[in-house]
Amino acid sequence: MGRRSGPSATGPTISRLRRLAGADHPDVAESLQNLASVLARSEDDRPRAERLYRESLAMHRTIYGDQHPHVATLLSNLAHLLQRMGQLEEAESLYRESLTIRRQYLGDRHPNLANSLYNLANLLVERGEVAAAEPLAGEALEILRQSLPEGDQRTHLVASLLGGCLIELGRYEEAEALLVDSLPVLEAARGLDNPATQKTLRRLVRLYEEWGKEEDAAAYRAQLGTAG
């Protein structure tokens, strides 16, 4: 029989690593984090992934200290999982802690800081706190425009989120510029049926419906109907 791989074979591997390296060795903490990342992809395995992320996070705090970039990464990963599980209040707290650490270590111009800003803004939008999300998304977009090549899809993913915020705030012209510019980039990079592209299309439909431009809304509504 061939060698087993995947999450079912990783538990014994971590147990052996604990025995060989010690329970608080960085390699053990990293292995727990990697296994949690795999398990987090399956809805049924997310409770186990949460436990492993928490164990790895506690180990990272012990090994590196509370303000280390590795801790910021674990905080962000756990927050993302909790967001998917509907635990939004704790997820927000973890995102904010991760953002504070990254701003301290990376400064105000690093793409990873933009990622933390985007994650927090996205969660706030999910919680209906659009006014609080808008400046975070705006800061993330400014960072990415200055640090990534022109046309990078990550920039336009953030621009789409910011555009959605601006619709809710009644700033239609600003939202239109961002969303119309972002849609073709996301479609080319990810395809029309990708969730990010679909969300941008829905935002454009919502924009033009709110703006009273039904002909434009209908055009983008038709594009939504051709996906899949």
Side-chain angles (χ1 to χ4, degrees), residues 32 35-55 78 81-82 84-87:
L32 289 169
L35 177 56
S37 297
V38 173
L39 292 171
R41 299 170 192 166
S42 168
E43 186 173 354
D44 291 339
D45 289 329
R46 285 174 188 168
R48 186 182 173 204
E50 179 187 350
R51 291 193 297 273
L52 294 174
Y53 268 140
R54 290 187 187 279
E55 183 179 358
L78 176 56
L81 176 63
L82 294 176
R84 294 166 73 185
M85 297 171 69
Q87 300 178 41

Side-chain angles (χ1 to χ4, degrees), residues 8 14 33 62 77 99 119 138 142 155 160 179 186 194 207 228:
S8 62
I14 293 176
Q33 177 183 356
T62 299
N77 289 345
L99 175 60
N119 287 337
E142 181 182 354
T155 302
S160 177
L179 294 169
L186 294 173
N194 180 268
L207 166 66

Side-chain angles (χ1 to χ4, degrees), residues 51-135:
R51 291 193 297 273
L52 294 174
Y53 268 140
R54 290 187 187 279
E55 183 179 358
S56 180
L57 175 59
M59 292 177 66
H60 275 77
R61 289 188 189 276
T62 299
I63 296 166
Y64 300 107
D66 288 335
Q67 302 300 313
H68 196 277
H70 290 343
V71 172
T73 298
L74 259 296
L75 288 165
S76 183
N77 289 345
L78 176 56
H80 183 65
L81 176 63
L82 294 176
Q83 182 178 358
R84 294 166 73 185
M85 297 171 69
Q87 300 178 41
L88 301 186
E89 186 173 350
E90 184 179 5
E92 179 182 346
S93 177
L94 297 178
Y95 276 141
R96 289 188 182 280
E97 186 178 356
S98 177
L99 175 60
T100 298
I101 295 169
R102 283 181 168 167
R103 196 182 292 279
Q104 175 184 340
Y105 271 86
L106 301 175
D108 294 327
R109 298 290 100 188
H110 198 283
N112 283 349
L113 177 66
N115 187 56
S116 288
L117 290 162
Y118 170 82
N119 287 337
L120 179 55
N122 187 54
L123 181 140
L124 291 173
V125 168
E126 187 174 344
R127 296 189 66 175
E129 301 176 26
V130 176
E134 183 269 330

